[in-house]
Amino acid sequence: MSERFDTLAQHFRENGHKLTQPRQAILHALLVAPKPLSPAEIQEQGQVFYADLGLVTVYRTLELMEEMGVVRTVHLADGCHGYALATPGHTHHVVCERCHAVVEIFGCELGEFLQSVAERTGYQITGHWLEIAGICANCQQMEK
Amino acid sequence: MSERFDTLAQHFRENGHKLTQPRQAILHALLVAPKPLSPAEIQEQGQVFYADLGLVTVYRTLELMEEMGVVRTVHLADGCHGYALATPGHTHHVVCERCHAVVEIFGCELGEFLQSVAERTGYQITGHWLEIAGICANCQQMEK
DNA sequence: GCCTTAACTGAAAAGGTTTTTCAATACGAG
DNA sequence: CTCGTATTGAAAAACCTTTTCAGTTAAGGC
């Protein structure tokens, strides 16, 4: 099992929560996801690992994980909520508007910008989420 | 009537929309609001100006205004959506994790970053969406 | 100022998503 | 292995948002 999984599992134990099969399935789903998932998507993906995973359990587990600070809520542009693991080494995503292909962007060049935001607003910045929309090379071809 | 109201009214007319009493009430509510309002709050505030204002109309008017680019959707941390009049130009928001206060950030310094993303990925970038989470000055005080 | 008509409205119903309730089940400490 | 408690899924409730529909209103032409 991956190192990240173990780290997450430990969070559960340290906070006195059981690491049940449904919860493990949810962790797996989030770990392999290339993008933030809605609760319904997490259920769907999680059922690959644990067939009976219920949507209610997804909501409850996400709430728990949010309290522990291991997931981040992302407010997707279409109004639904998405959840992604709160990664220390963090990445951003570019999503194709046509085919929804996702590319990860490594390296975050927002540090300086965030610094200036903190100074201007007096806020203590705790996190940020950047989603970039575009049209991937393939779909650009097809349009012609 | 305020200058900003007239400007908004003109937007409606220019796009071939009627400026009905319910819509005027919604504009007034948004104009006097010190923060983004949820649809329900807009209805409540709007009823001060037009008692029969229905929630359905609030949704429809917001949709219309979003198309015209005169309101901005703010994704509040508690899951609800908020709406605020759009200030001209592209802005981002910083949302307080504790009290959900919102501050607008003027000026977007992501242009260069997005340029490099386009080059690295081959995507044609069409938009981006940045959400910054933090703790506002007030809530920082209270924690002590 | 009226008339006409297409846009607009609120109420009700439908469609989604999220939360609560509850009896049955699974975890993990001992 | 056993036991007590946390956790589970299903069903129902509670929301929030969208659609449908018949009646109303705004705004341009006379």
Side-chain angles (χ1 to χ4, degrees):
Chain A
M1 205 56 59
S2 82
E3 190 191 329
R4 290 189 67 199
F5 181 89
D6 293 340
T7 311
L8 288 167
Q10 195 147 355
H11 268 281
F12 273 82
R13 295 209 186 83
E14 279 171 7
N15 286 276
H17 301 304
K18 294 181 181 174
L19 193 63
T20 59
Q21 289 192 51
R23 286 178 180 173
Q24 287 180 37
I26 291 167
L27 290 183
H28 279 130
L30 287 169
L31 279 166
V32 301
K35 64 182 179 74
L37 300 178
S38 68
E41 287 170 330
I42 292 173
Q43 179 187 27
E44 198 179 315
Q45 296 301 313
Q47 286 179 340
V48 174
F49 304 102
Y50 181 76
D52 283 347
L53 179 61
L55 188 54
V56 187
T57 300
V58 174
Y59 278 102
R60 283 188 285 227
T61 303
L62 287 172
E63 191 184 341
L64 215 58
M65 292 174 76
E66 226 170 351
E67 269 168 31
M68 297 189 292
V70 298
V71 283
R72 242 189 88 56
T73 312
V74 178
H75 300 271
L76 303 173
D78 67 353
C80 286
H81 294 180
Y83 292 85
L85 289 173
T87 44
H90 90 198
T91 60
H92 295 301
H93 297 96
V94 190
V95 182
C96 177
E97 287 185 343
R98 299 279 187 287
C99 68
H100 303 130
V102 177
V103 173
E104 267 197 333
I105 304 292
F106 298 98
C108 169
E109 282 142 56
L110 266 50
E112 218 171 285
F113 174 64
L114 293 175
Q115 181 64 41
S116 84
V117 167
E119 279 162 21
R120 278 186 281 169
T121 60
Y123 275 54
Q124 178 189 332
I125 306 300
T126 55
H128 68 277
W129 190 274
L130 174 64
E131 198 177 300
I132 304 173
I135 302 174
C136 73
N138 268 347
C139 291
Q140 284 177 48
Q141 286 298 324
M142 284 192 228
E143 289 199 351
K144 285 164 194 167
Chain B
M1 206 58 59
S2 80
E3 190 191 331
R4 289 189 69 197
F5 181 89
D6 293 339
T7 310
L8 289 167
Q10 194 147 357
H11 269 282
F12 273 81
R13 295 209 186 83
E14 279 172 6
N15 287 274
H17 301 304
K18 294 181 181 175
L19 193 63
T20 59
Q21 290 191 51
R23 286 179 180 173
Q24 288 181 38
I26 291 167
L27 290 182
H28 279 129
L30 287 168
L31 278 166
V32 300
K35 64 181 178 73
L37 300 177
S38 68
E41 287 169 330
I42 293 173
Q43 180 187 27
E44 198 180 315
Q45 296 301 313
Q47 286 178 342
V48 174
F49 303 102
Y50 182 75
D52 284 346
L53 180 61
L55 187 54
V56 187
T57 299
V58 173
Y59 278 103
R60 284 190 283 227
T61 303
L62 286 172
E63 192 185 339
L64 214 58
M65 292 173 76
E66 226 169 353
E67 270 168 31
M68 298 190 291
V70 299
V71 283
R72 195 175 293 285
T73 311
V74 179
H75 300 267
L76 303 173
D78 66 353
C80 286
H81 292 181
Y83 292 85
L85 288 175
T87 37
H90 179 98
T91 62
H92 296 300
H93 293 97
V94 190
V95 182
C96 178
E97 287 185 344
R98 298 278 188 289
C99 69
H100 307 142
V102 177
V103 173
E104 267 196 333
I105 304 293
F106 300 94
C108 170
E109 283 144 55
L110 266 49
E112 218 171 287
F113 175 65
L114 293 174
Q115 182 64 40
S116 84
V117 167
E119 279 162 20
R120 277 187 280 170
T121 59
Y123 275 54
Q124 178 189 331
I125 306 301
T126 55
H128 67 277
W129 199 75
L130 174 65
E131 185 183 306
I132 304 173
I135 302 174
C136 74
N138 268 348
C139 291
Q140 285 177 48
Q141 285 298 324
M142 285 193 227
E143 290 199 349
K144 285 165 195 166

